[in-house]
């Protein structure tokens, strides 16, 4: 299980100060939507300048028509990140198009599909998707696996089931990890490190 630290602080300066503090650890760093929109590629370059060995997960959750998603995925290659994600809700055609577009690139980034956001509870999710979280997450994971993606973003509680119906090597990344019982914030399906370990999660985001 690998640790991924979310760089979600209010400013680039605060995020880079955190990166300085943890620069000697072999961990992943997550650059999310707010940080990337605000600070862009120079932020990724600044992280690499602190420690070129850092692995970076660009968490933008691409969701659009297939060709636009594939164009964006190909553009991500130039950023030098090691992992990014798309929305499984975009469908198998879109996910296949993304992977087809990345075929020519050696050492391409890991590509994950978001199943169900961990901010959803059962009621809201069912209202939007007409099905419970666990069943739909399994379906989205199967779609992503068939489309050739490397894994999915899911809650810890869906990880073991997803691996059982896809492959033990199909990656799962879990946000919403609260190792010390911290406040859940806007997350609904939070979990501890022990739960993530028992559910065979590959990457935990804290």
């Amino acid at each position: 299980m690998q640790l991924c630290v979310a760089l979600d602080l209010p400013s680039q300066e605060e995020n880079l100060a955190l990166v300085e503090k943890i620069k000697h650890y072999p961990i992943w760093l997550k650059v999310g939507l707010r940080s990337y929109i605000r600070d862009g590629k120079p932020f990724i370059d600044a992280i690499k300048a602190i420690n070129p060995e850092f692995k970076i997960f660009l968490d933008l959750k691409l969701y659009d028509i297939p060709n636009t998603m594939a164009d964006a995925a190909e553009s991500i290659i130039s950023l030098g990140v090691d992992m990014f994600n798309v929305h499984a809700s975009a469908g198998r055609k879109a996910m296949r198009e993304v992977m087809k577009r990345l075929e020519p690139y050696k050492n391409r980034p890991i590509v994950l599909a978001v199943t169900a956001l961990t901010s959803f509870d059962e009621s809201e999710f069912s209202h939007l998707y007409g099905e419970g979280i666990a069943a739909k997450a399994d379906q989205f994971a199967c779609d992503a696996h068939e489309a050739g993606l490397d894994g999915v973003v899911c809650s810890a509680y869906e990880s073991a089931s997803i691996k059982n119906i896809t492959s033990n090597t199909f990656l799962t990344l879990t946000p919403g990890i609260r190792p010390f019982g911290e406040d859940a914030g806007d997350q609904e399906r939070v979990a501890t490190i022990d739960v993530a370990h028992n559910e065979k999660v590959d990457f935990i985001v804290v």
Side-chain angles (χ1 to χ4, degrees):
M1 189 164 61
Q2 299 187 60
L3 175 64
C4 184
V5 174
L7 300 177
D8 291 335
L9 296 172
S11 70
Q12 177 176 254
E13 291 72 25
E14 290 170 282
N15 279 325
L16 291 177
L18 174 58
V19 173
E20 281 283 357
K21 290 179 181 178
I22 58 179
K23 66 182 178 182
H24 299 300
Y25 296 97
I27 57 177
W28 287 70
L29 300 176
K30 182 178 81 73
V31 175
L33 191 60
R34 175 172 74 162
S35 292
Y36 187 73
I37 287 176
R38 182 186 62 216
D39 305 319
K41 186 177 185 297
F43 180 45
I44 294 172
D45 294 339
I47 293 170
K48 292 288 190 178
I50 292 172
N51 182 353
E53 300 302 314
F54 271 135
K55 299 288 188 180
I56 297 178
F57 166 35
L58 185 62
D59 180 22
L60 300 184
K61 304 178 180 71
L62 304 182
Y63 188 176
D64 212 304
I65 62 174
N67 191 60
T68 299
M69 285 178 62
D71 286 345
E74 192 169 16
S75 295
I76 284 172
I77 295 290
S78 66
L79 301 179
V81 301
D82 305 281
M83 180 161 61
F84 71 92
N85 56 6
V86 303
H87 256 295
S89 296
R92 284 176 292 184
K93 182 179 178 181
M95 290 190 283
R96 288 194 193 104
E97 189 65 27
V98 165
M99 301 313 293
K100 180 181 178 181
R101 190 71 67 85
L102 298 182
E103 280 178 2
Y105 295 93
K106 295 181 179 179
N107 302 315
R108 63 161 175 79
I110 294 168
V111 185
L112 305 179
V114 175
T115 57
L117 298 175
T118 51
S119 57
F120 278 124
D121 60 18
E122 283 287 345
S123 176
E124 186 179 14
F125 187 87
S126 296
H127 174 72
L128 287 172
Y129 289 94
E131 197 168 0
I133 291 172
K136 199 67 176 177
D138 281 353
Q139 179 206 318
F140 281 148
C142 286
D143 289 345
H145 186 252
E146 291 171 9
L149 275 70
D150 302 297
V152 293
V153 179
C154 60
S155 86
Y157 303 103
E158 291 108 45
S159 175
S161 174
I162 285 169
K163 286 179 176 289
N164 286 338
I165 62 174
T166 57
S167 165
N168 282 330
T169 61
F170 194 58
L171 301 173
T172 56
L173 178 146
T174 297
I177 298 297
R178 299 294 186 268
F180 307 112
E182 299 95 330
D183 182 75
D186 62 354
Q187 304 276 23
E188 289 288 340
R189 301 186 328 280
V190 300
T192 64
I193 292 175
D194 285 342
V195 169
H197 181 267
N198 291 337
E199 296 294 322
K200 304 177 183 178
V201 172
D202 297 289
F203 296 89
I204 57 170
V205 181
V206 299

